[in-house]
Amino acid sequence: MKKDNESTIPDFILLGVTGQKEHDNVLFILFLFIYPITLTGNLLIILAIHSDSRLHNPMYFFLANLSFVDIFFSSVTIPKTLINHILSSKAISFVGCLTQMYFMIALANADSYTLAAMAYDRAVAISRPLHYTTIISPRFCVLLVVGSWVVGNANALPHTLLTGSLSFCGNTDVANFYCDIMPLLKLSCSDIRFNVKIMYIGVGVFSVPLLCIIISYVQVFSTVLRIPSTKGVLKALSTCGSHLTVVSLYYGTMMGMYFRPLTSYSLKDAVLTVMYMAVTPMLNPFIYSLRNRDMKAALRKLFSKRISI
Ligand SMILES: *[C@@H]1O[C@H](CO)[C@@H](O)[C@H](O)[C@H]1NC(C)=O
């Protein structure tokens, strides 16, 4: 028996979103626009927040962190898809495939936990304003940010190790444009029952923040409804409305993808993943900045500073 296991593992083939050439072209053009917008938008948010001392508070630090995660999150899949399309190749090595999966899971979790931190921050600010600075202390913020990365990596590691130890015999066509856990499990010829259990635990860990977000917003709305003036209600709603839009987009598409039996997964579901892998990281900076006066002022300042230099 030969020992060079690794060299016998063939490349995986990324089938794209439908497996059809025309749709690959559409995806390529879409990503060609989305990716630079995502990078620029999120980078501007980080620069604007760090250069404006009025934005040096937890809400904006979390937003900067969200942008930071989003830059990496979209870089896990989009550049590979673009490069492969240019090279007319669909191949990805086994190690590349597992790397993509690892960072996809780690960053999606970091994203998810950061969104929860943002919701909790707003809930405390709106319903317990007098205790805000003691509850959301700088130390607590750092804890939440570091915690989101720790949970992300802790959730990614078991799935990656377990998937890496599976056998793949023959069929290596991954039914998506990147290496995602569901299409990979479907390809394996090993017994995947344990992997599937761990996968659903992972989906659970990923969904805990959603629960925190829902509880935070229930608290926000119950406080807002007690504010006598309609002006106060509208202001509070506009602050949180943008956040809720992102959250619904993100979790709506994620849940459509993972909250169901593995057997029902097919290539046509890959389209759904474009939404949270590529579209939400692009929309985040716009949704958070366009309706936010302080953020817009900071961006204007950033540009005028650059121009006057
Ligand atoms: C993330 O948050 C921490 C703590 O709130 C902050 O110190 C750090 O600068 C933020 N990161 C970015 C990229 O803004």
Side-chain angles (χ1 to χ4, degrees), residues 217-235:
Y217 276 104
V218 168
Q219 200 172 12
V220 166
F221 286 124
S222 69
T223 309
V224 162
L225 291 178
R226 273 186 268 126
I227 299 175
S229 78
T230 41
K231 222 173 154 193
V233 174
L234 288 179
K235 187 160 180 285

Side-chain angles (χ1 to χ4, degrees), residues 46 50 61-62 64-65 68 141-142 145:
I46 295 174
H50 281 266
F61 272 132
F62 288 136
N65 274 286
F68 189 69
C141 291
V142 173
V145 168

Side-chain angles (χ1 to χ4, degrees), residues 81-106:
T81 310
L82 291 175
I83 291 170
N84 268 13
H85 192 86
I86 293 168
L87 299 177
S88 298
S89 152
K90 287 176 176 293
I92 185 166
S93 68
F94 186 57
V95 172
C97 197
L98 289 179
T99 310
Q100 233 184 11
M101 198 181 106
Y102 181 90
F103 285 107
M104 199 288 278
I105 299 174

Side-chain angles (χ1 to χ4, degrees), residues 35-238:
Y35 194 52
I37 295 174
T38 307
L39 294 188
T40 323
N42 284 299
L43 211 60
L44 278 178
I45 295 269
I46 295 174
L47 287 176
I49 289 173
H50 281 266
S51 66
D52 190 336
S53 58
R54 280 175 311 166
L55 302 187
H56 289 180
N57 61 45
M59 180 171 129
Y60 290 103
F61 272 132
F62 288 136
L63 179 55
N65 274 286
L66 184 70
S67 286
F68 189 69
V69 176
D70 278 341
I71 287 174
F72 287 103
F73 189 42
S74 53
S75 302
V76 174
T77 53
I78 299 186
K80 177 68 181 164
T81 310
L82 291 175
I83 291 170
N84 268 13
H85 192 86
I86 293 168
L87 299 177
S88 298
S89 152
K90 287 176 176 293
I92 185 166
S93 68
F94 186 57
V95 172
C97 197
L98 289 179
T99 310
Q100 233 184 11
M101 198 181 106
Y102 181 90
F103 285 107
M104 199 288 278
I105 299 174
L107 293 163
N109 276 274
D111 224 5
S112 179
Y113 278 81
T114 308
L115 288 172
M118 292 171 84
Y120 181 63
D121 170 75
R122 287 303 85 206
V124 176
I126 289 171
S127 45
R128 305 180 66 188
L130 298 178
H131 300 105
Y132 181 75
T133 43
T134 46
I135 298 175
I136 312 286
S137 65
R139 237 178 92 187
F140 186 62
C141 291
V142 173
L143 191 76
L144 288 181
V145 168
V146 174
S148 70
W149 285 91
V150 171
V151 172
N153 286 288
N155 200 1
L157 197 62
H159 303 297
T160 312
L161 293 178
L162 282 171
T163 309
S165 61
L166 293 175
S167 313
F168 296 90
C169 2
N171 188 1
T172 54
D173 291 350
V174 180
N176 208 326
F177 67 95
Y178 67 96
C179 285
D180 197 358
I181 186 161
M182 273 189 163
L184 278 177
L185 288 183
K186 284 198 92 167
L187 278 184
S188 171
C189 49
S190 312
D191 181 355
I192 56 163
R193 274 175 298 182
F194 184 64
N195 298 60
V196 171
K197 272 191 202 118
I198 298 296
M199 182 186 79
Y200 284 119
I201 291 176
V203 172
V205 171
F206 173 82
S207 311
V208 169
L210 179 61
L211 206 66
C212 303
I213 291 169
I214 293 171
I215 294 171
S216 297
Y217 276 104
V218 168
Q219 200 172 12
V220 166
F221 286 124
S222 69
T223 309
V224 162
L225 291 178
R226 273 186 268 126
I227 299 175
S229 78
T230 41
K231 222 173 154 193
V233 174
L234 288 179
K235 187 160 180 285
L237 285 182
S238 87

